[in-house]
Amino acid sequence: MKIPTLVLIVLLCLAFCMMSEKKPKRNATYLETEEFSRLNLPFSQAVIYGNIIYVSGQLAEDGLTEEATLVEGGIGPETRQTMLYIKKILEANGSSIENIIKCTCMLAAIEEWAEMNVEYIKFFPENKPARSAFATNGLLFNARVEIECMAYLND
């Protein structure tokens, strides 16, 4: 009777140890350029987790300052400049525009959706990422568009 009880206790201990084994923690890398860091904003410019880079919403600012000015010309030029910023962030951190798998586009006015698409599509001549686009109740600095994305890292 002692041996089966002892075996049962050992098996229960082994099962408990296996269940409580910690899974390896995956660390996120929080990315900010020096220029972005000076703004002291409550979010990161981008975050890498695993093999995905998550780029925060970007505006078509004419330089990163506390009193940012937007590129002139409306949603078309703003879309182009925003995508160029995204491209720069991705390339500086081991990815590229071609690696984007999802974009979210926030527009100040949904009526400008078609005009935004004219510039946006130029960045995706081949593989078009999944995308959501919606109107907002306003964007920072009276921007016409803000775009965020997720992309995989280069192998």
Side-chain angles (χ1 to χ4, degrees):
M1 190 97 168
K2 288 183 179 181
I3 293 178
T5 304
L6 185 59
V7 170
L8 181 61
I9 290 172
V10 169
L11 289 175
L12 286 173
C13 286
L14 286 173
F16 179 76
C17 288
M18 290 174 67
M19 288 183 351
S20 65
E21 241 181 71
K22 292 183 180 179
K23 293 184 179 181
K25 185 177 179 183
R26 297 187 78 167
N27 294 323
T29 303
Y30 300 88
L31 308 167
E32 294 182 2
T33 60
E34 186 178 321
E35 188 179 36
F36 183 88
S37 186
R38 276 185 259 138
L39 297 176
N40 200 28
L41 295 169
F43 57 90
S44 295
Q45 196 169 27
V47 175
I48 294 175
Y49 185 78
N51 69 337
I52 302 291
I53 182 170
Y54 301 84
V55 179
S56 292
Q58 300 295 305
L59 300 173
E61 298 172 74
D62 192 11
L64 292 173
T65 63
E66 288 183 30
E67 279 102 39
T69 56
L70 300 171
V71 296
E72 295 182 9
I75 196 164
E78 283 188 38
T79 302
R80 177 172 175 65
Q81 185 62 53
T82 300
M83 292 304 298
L84 289 171
Y85 283 150
I86 288 172
K87 182 177 190 262
K88 182 178 178 181
I89 292 167
L90 291 173
E91 289 175 354
N93 293 289
S95 191
S96 68
I97 285 283
E98 293 80 18
N99 294 2
I100 293 177
I101 52 178
K102 172 74 167 83
C103 282
T104 303
C105 303
M106 294 147 278
L107 291 83
I110 201 68
E111 297 80 21
E112 296 178 314
W113 183 80
E115 192 177 344
M116 182 269 300
N117 279 331
V118 169
E119 288 300 320
Y120 175 89
I121 197 66
K122 291 176 184 176
F123 289 86
F124 305 105
E126 297 284 322
N127 298 320
K128 297 164 186 66
R131 187 183 89 180
S132 301
F134 55 88
T136 67
N137 193 19
L139 296 169
L140 190 61
F141 305 124
N142 293 316
R144 307 306 307 153
V145 65
E146 179 175 346
I147 303 172
E148 64 180 22
C149 73
M150 293 176 260
Y152 58 89
L153 299 177
N154 294 328
D155 293 326

Short mmCIF file of all heavy atoms in Angstrom, two decimals, residues 37-59:
data_model
loop_
_atom_site.label_atom_id
_atom_site.label_comp_id
_atom_site.label_asym_id
_atom_site.label_seq_id
_atom_site.Cartn_x
_atom_site.Cartn_y
_atom_site.Cartn_z
N SER A 37 11.65 61.27 -29.21
CA SER A 37 11.83 61.16 -27.76
C SER A 37 11.78 62.53 -27.09
O SER A 37 11.27 62.67 -25.98
CB SER A 37 13.15 60.47 -27.46
OG SER A 37 13.29 60.25 -26.09
N ARG A 38 12.30 63.56 -27.74
CA ARG A 38 12.30 64.91 -27.18
C ARG A 38 10.89 65.45 -26.94
O ARG A 38 10.70 66.34 -26.13
CB ARG A 38 13.06 65.88 -28.09
CG ARG A 38 14.55 65.84 -27.85
CD ARG A 38 15.28 66.88 -28.65
NE ARG A 38 15.84 66.17 -29.79
CZ ARG A 38 15.86 66.59 -31.04
NH1 ARG A 38 15.36 67.75 -31.35
NH2 ARG A 38 16.39 65.86 -31.99
N LEU A 39 9.90 64.91 -27.65
CA LEU A 39 8.52 65.39 -27.50
C LEU A 39 7.89 64.91 -26.20
O LEU A 39 6.86 65.41 -25.78
CB LEU A 39 7.68 64.94 -28.69
CG LEU A 39 8.10 65.50 -30.04
CD1 LEU A 39 7.25 64.91 -31.15
CD2 LEU A 39 8.01 67.02 -30.05
N ASN A 40 8.49 63.88 -25.57
CA ASN A 40 8.00 63.35 -24.30
C ASN A 40 6.52 62.95 -24.38
O ASN A 40 5.72 63.32 -23.52
CB ASN A 40 8.24 64.38 -23.18
CG ASN A 40 8.20 63.73 -21.83
OD1 ASN A 40 8.50 62.54 -21.68
ND2 ASN A 40 7.82 64.49 -20.82
N LEU A 41 6.16 62.20 -25.40
CA LEU A 41 4.78 61.76 -25.59
C LEU A 41 4.51 60.50 -24.78
O LEU A 41 5.43 59.75 -24.45
CB LEU A 41 4.52 61.51 -27.09
CG LEU A 41 4.61 62.76 -27.96
CD1 LEU A 41 4.60 62.39 -29.43
CD2 LEU A 41 3.48 63.72 -27.63
N PRO A 42 3.24 60.22 -24.48
CA PRO A 42 2.91 59.06 -23.64
C PRO A 42 2.79 57.74 -24.41
O PRO A 42 2.04 56.85 -24.01
CB PRO A 42 1.56 59.47 -23.04
CG PRO A 42 0.94 60.31 -24.09
CD PRO A 42 2.09 61.07 -24.72
N PHE A 43 3.49 57.60 -25.51
CA PHE A 43 3.46 56.36 -26.30
C PHE A 43 4.76 56.25 -27.08
O PHE A 43 5.49 57.22 -27.23
CB PHE A 43 2.25 56.31 -27.25
CG PHE A 43 2.17 57.49 -28.20
CD1 PHE A 43 2.78 57.43 -29.44
CD2 PHE A 43 1.48 58.63 -27.84
CE1 PHE A 43 2.71 58.51 -30.32
CE2 PHE A 43 1.41 59.71 -28.71
CZ PHE A 43 2.02 59.66 -29.94
N SER A 44 5.04 55.06 -27.56
CA SER A 44 6.24 54.82 -28.37
C SER A 44 5.95 55.05 -29.84
O SER A 44 4.82 54.85 -30.30
CB SER A 44 6.73 53.38 -28.17
OG SER A 44 7.16 53.19 -26.85
N GLN A 45 6.96 55.41 -30.57
CA GLN A 45 6.83 55.60 -32.01
C GLN A 45 6.52 54.26 -32.68
O GLN A 45 5.73 54.20 -33.61
CB GLN A 45 8.13 56.19 -32.54
CG GLN A 45 8.05 56.79 -33.91
CD GLN A 45 9.31 57.58 -34.22
OE1 GLN A 45 10.38 57.29 -33.69
NE2 GLN A 45 9.19 58.55 -35.10
N ALA A 46 7.13 53.21 -32.16
CA ALA A 46 6.90 51.86 -32.67
C ALA A 46 7.33 50.87 -31.60
O ALA A 46 8.10 51.22 -30.70
CB ALA A 46 7.67 51.63 -33.96
N VAL A 47 6.83 49.64 -31.71
CA VAL A 47 7.19 48.57 -30.79
C VAL A 47 7.42 47.31 -31.60
O VAL A 47 6.63 47.00 -32.50
CB VAL A 47 6.07 48.31 -29.75
CG1 VAL A 47 6.42 47.12 -28.87
CG2 VAL A 47 5.81 49.55 -28.90
N ILE A 48 8.50 46.62 -31.29
CA ILE A 48 8.75 45.31 -31.91
C ILE A 48 8.43 44.25 -30.87
O ILE A 48 8.92 44.31 -29.74
CB ILE A 48 10.20 45.17 -32.38
CG1 ILE A 48 10.49 46.15 -33.53
CG2 ILE A 48 10.49 43.72 -32.82
CD1 ILE A 48 11.94 46.16 -33.99
N TYR A 49 7.60 43.30 -31.26
CA TYR A 49 7.28 42.17 -30.40
C TYR A 49 7.33 40.92 -31.28
O TYR A 49 6.61 40.84 -32.28
CB TYR A 49 5.90 42.32 -29.77
CG TYR A 49 5.60 41.23 -28.78
CD1 TYR A 49 6.14 41.26 -27.50
CD2 TYR A 49 4.81 40.15 -29.13
CE1 TYR A 49 5.88 40.24 -26.59
CE2 TYR A 49 4.54 39.13 -28.23
CZ TYR A 49 5.08 39.19 -26.96
OH TYR A 49 4.83 38.18 -26.07
N GLY A 50 8.20 40.02 -30.95
CA GLY A 50 8.40 38.86 -31.82
C GLY A 50 8.98 39.34 -33.13
O GLY A 50 9.95 40.10 -33.16
N ASN A 51 8.37 38.93 -34.23
CA ASN A 51 8.87 39.38 -35.54
C ASN A 51 7.92 40.38 -36.20
O ASN A 51 7.92 40.54 -37.41
CB ASN A 51 9.12 38.18 -36.46
CG ASN A 51 7.84 37.50 -36.88
OD1 ASN A 51 6.81 37.60 -36.22
ND2 ASN A 51 7.89 36.78 -37.98
N ILE A 52 7.14 41.08 -35.37
CA ILE A 52 6.22 42.10 -35.87
C ILE A 52 6.60 43.47 -35.31
O ILE A 52 6.90 43.59 -34.12
CB ILE A 52 4.75 41.78 -35.48
CG1 ILE A 52 4.32 40.41 -35.99
CG2 ILE A 52 3.80 42.87 -35.96
CD1 ILE A 52 4.18 40.30 -37.50
N ILE A 53 6.56 44.49 -36.15
CA ILE A 53 6.75 45.86 -35.71
C ILE A 53 5.41 46.57 -35.82
O ILE A 53 4.73 46.49 -36.85
CB ILE A 53 7.86 46.60 -36.50
CG1 ILE A 53 8.04 48.03 -35.96
CG2 ILE A 53 7.62 46.57 -37.98
CD1 ILE A 53 9.27 48.74 -36.51
N TYR A 54 5.01 47.21 -34.74
CA TYR A 54 3.76 47.96 -34.65
C TYR A 54 4.12 49.43 -34.67
O TYR A 54 4.77 49.93 -33.75
CB TYR A 54 3.03 47.62 -33.36
CG TYR A 54 2.70 46.14 -33.22
CD1 TYR A 54 3.64 45.24 -32.73
CD2 TYR A 54 1.46 45.66 -33.60
CE1 TYR A 54 3.34 43.89 -32.61
CE2 TYR A 54 1.16 44.30 -33.49
CZ TYR A 54 2.10 43.43 -32.99
OH TYR A 54 1.81 42.10 -32.88
N VAL A 55 3.71 50.15 -35.70
CA VAL A 55 4.03 51.57 -35.84
C VAL A 55 2.83 52.38 -35.40
O VAL A 55 1.71 52.19 -35.90
CB VAL A 55 4.42 51.92 -37.29
CG1 VAL A 55 4.72 53.40 -37.43
CG2 VAL A 55 5.62 51.09 -37.74
N SER A 56 3.06 53.29 -34.45
CA SER A 56 1.99 54.16 -33.96
C SER A 56 1.48 55.06 -35.07
O SER A 56 2.16 55.25 -36.09
CB SER A 56 2.50 55.03 -32.81
OG SER A 56 2.79 54.26 -31.68
N GLY A 57 0.31 55.61 -34.86
CA GLY A 57 -0.29 56.52 -35.84
C GLY A 57 0.64 57.66 -36.19
O GLY A 57 1.22 58.30 -35.31
N GLN A 58 0.82 57.89 -37.47
CA GLN A 58 1.71 58.94 -37.97
C GLN A 58 0.90 60.02 -38.66
O GLN A 58 -0.08 59.75 -39.34
CB GLN A 58 2.72 58.35 -38.95
CG GLN A 58 3.61 57.27 -38.36
CD GLN A 58 4.51 57.81 -37.27
OE1 GLN A 58 5.25 58.75 -37.46
NE2 GLN A 58 4.42 57.19 -36.10
N LEU A 59 1.35 61.26 -38.47
CA LEU A 59 0.76 62.42 -39.14
C LEU A 59 1.78 62.98 -40.12
O LEU A 59 2.97 62.71 -39.99
CB LEU A 59 0.40 63.51 -38.12
CG LEU A 59 -0.58 63.15 -37.03
CD1 LEU A 59 -0.69 64.29 -36.03
CD2 LEU A 59 -1.95 62.82 -37.61
#
